[in-house]
Amino acid sequence: MDETNYFGLNPSVTVGSSYYAPFYADFGFTVPTGMEVYYISQIHDSEGKACLKLIDTGTIPAQTPVIVKCISSTVSDNRLNLVYRSAV
């Protein structure tokens, strides 16, 4: 992928001035500076609330459901860095 072909996220949730996209993919990825990735670490049954935990290092593994805090509402600003692994 290059400047004309990229994988970007279209955020579907806006909270204040922040944009978020739930995301699940069959490939690993990293995010550029400015974007953050969270996973649900716990559900409080009594309160009905989910606890989000930041994934702050490394590659997000394939098949991991996450919530991505995007840079903006524009897809081309929210580009993921795809991580390919060759088949053995």
Side-chain angles (χ1 to χ4, degrees):
M1 306 212 129
D2 59 24
E3 293 295 318
T4 59
N5 296 296
Y6 57 85
F7 194 98
L9 295 179
N10 185 18
S12 59
V13 177
T14 303
V15 178
S17 61
S18 298
Y19 304 96
Y20 298 88
F23 188 65
Y24 179 87
D26 197 30
F27 52 82
F29 64 95
T30 62
V31 294
T33 302
M35 291 177 74
E36 297 175 343
V37 180
Y38 298 88
Y39 70 96
I40 295 175
S41 63
Q42 182 179 7
I43 303 277
H44 290 286
D45 290 332
S46 61
E47 300 174 28
K49 296 179 182 176
C51 294
L52 298 179
K53 185 166 183 176
L54 178 67
I55 301 173
D56 56 1
T57 58
T59 300
I60 310 307
Q63 301 175 351
T64 302
V66 294
I67 298 171
V68 181
K69 183 177 181 183
C70 298
I71 294 171
S72 79
S73 62
T74 305
V75 174
S76 62
D77 291 339
N78 305 318
R79 297 179 185 197
L80 301 181
N81 304 311
L82 306 185
V83 177
Y84 296 100
R85 297 187 192 257
S86 59
V88 179

